[in-house]
Amino acid sequence: MPVFRLNKKQLLFPPVHLAEPDGLLAVGGDLSAERLLLAYRSGIFPWFDERPILWWSPDPRFVLFPADLKVSSSMKQVLRRNQFRITYNADFPAVIARCSRIPRPGQDSTWITDEMQEAYIRLHQAGYAMSVESWMDDELVGGLYGVKIGDCFFGESMFSDVSNASKAAFITFVQAYAHELKLIDCQVETEHLASLGAGFIPRDTFLELIQVP
């Protein structure tokens, strides 16, 4: 199937069922707040190292339902000890900047470019992107960020400078928001998130759950 090239002047995406087998759907466009929100509502997300922007919609989709969250005995002990202080939206720019500096196996550079950081900071300022922070002695040691639209959270990235810091942030976030979140989109599979209860669902089911028209 062809990969579609987006026109910056037109705010639209092709149907996701036309994506390549690896999930690549389109290239180009921009990272405006309007396009990013349309992408998430359509089951699409950006992921690229250099221009052009690449837009993805993999099938199946890796997600976590809050009720399926798994917390190991060791993590329960970490949380009971209050080893980390967890906050929400206390320093979004710092979280995304720290996520951008994480070494990725097999990658020479980060996909969280300066352009991506600026775009998500704008989404944060608009009330859609949010961060969760883990602190030790007033030092930021872990966290995550993503986009919350209605009852769905679209996770983007996390970092941890201290063992279990990002896990503590993620678990605390899921438990705190379990009453209002239908699902957490993890986008692609990682062992870290699989250990916490995430799994695959068909893309069609995912689109129904995020209430795509």
Side-chain angles (χ1 to χ4, degrees), residues 1-2 4 19 27 44-45 60 74 86 92 111 113 131 142 149 166-169 175 186 188 194:
M1 292 183 183
F4 295 86
V27 302
I44 302 165
F45 60 87
S74 59
I86 309 299
F92 184 93
W111 60 271
T113 62
S131 60
I149 302 176
S166 62
K167 273 191 177 182
Q175 292 176 335
C186 304
V188 294

Side-chain angles (χ1 to χ4, degrees), residues 30-39 41 119 122-123 126 128:
D30 56 31
L31 293 173
S32 65
E34 294 78 12
R35 189 179 298 275
L36 285 170
L37 292 174
L38 175 61
R41 290 174 175 137
R122 289 193 297 269
L123 268 189
Y128 291 99

Side-chain angles (χ1 to χ4, degrees), residues 64-68 88 128 130 132 144 146-155 170-185 209:
L64 173 72
F65 296 102
D68 294 337
Y88 303 94
Y128 291 99
M130 66 176 293
V132 186
L144 62 101
V147 177
K148 185 176 182 296
I149 302 176
D151 55 8
C152 297
F153 180 78
F154 303 87
F170 184 78
I171 291 169
T172 302
F173 164 67
V174 174
Q175 292 176 335
Y177 281 79
H179 65 288
E180 63 179 272
L181 284 179
K182 183 186 299 180
L183 65 79
I184 296 165
D185 175 30
L209 289 170

Side-chain angles (χ1 to χ4, degrees), residues 36-71:
L36 285 170
L37 292 174
L38 175 61
Y40 286 109
R41 290 174 175 137
S42 303
I44 302 165
F45 60 87
W47 188 22
F48 64 103
D49 291 332
E50 298 177 354
R51 286 277 187 169
I53 301 169
L54 305 180
W55 301 91
W56 305 78
S57 184
D59 185 17
R61 194 69 165 240
F62 201 58
V63 306
L64 173 72
F65 296 102
D68 294 337
L69 177 68
K70 296 178 182 178
V71 184

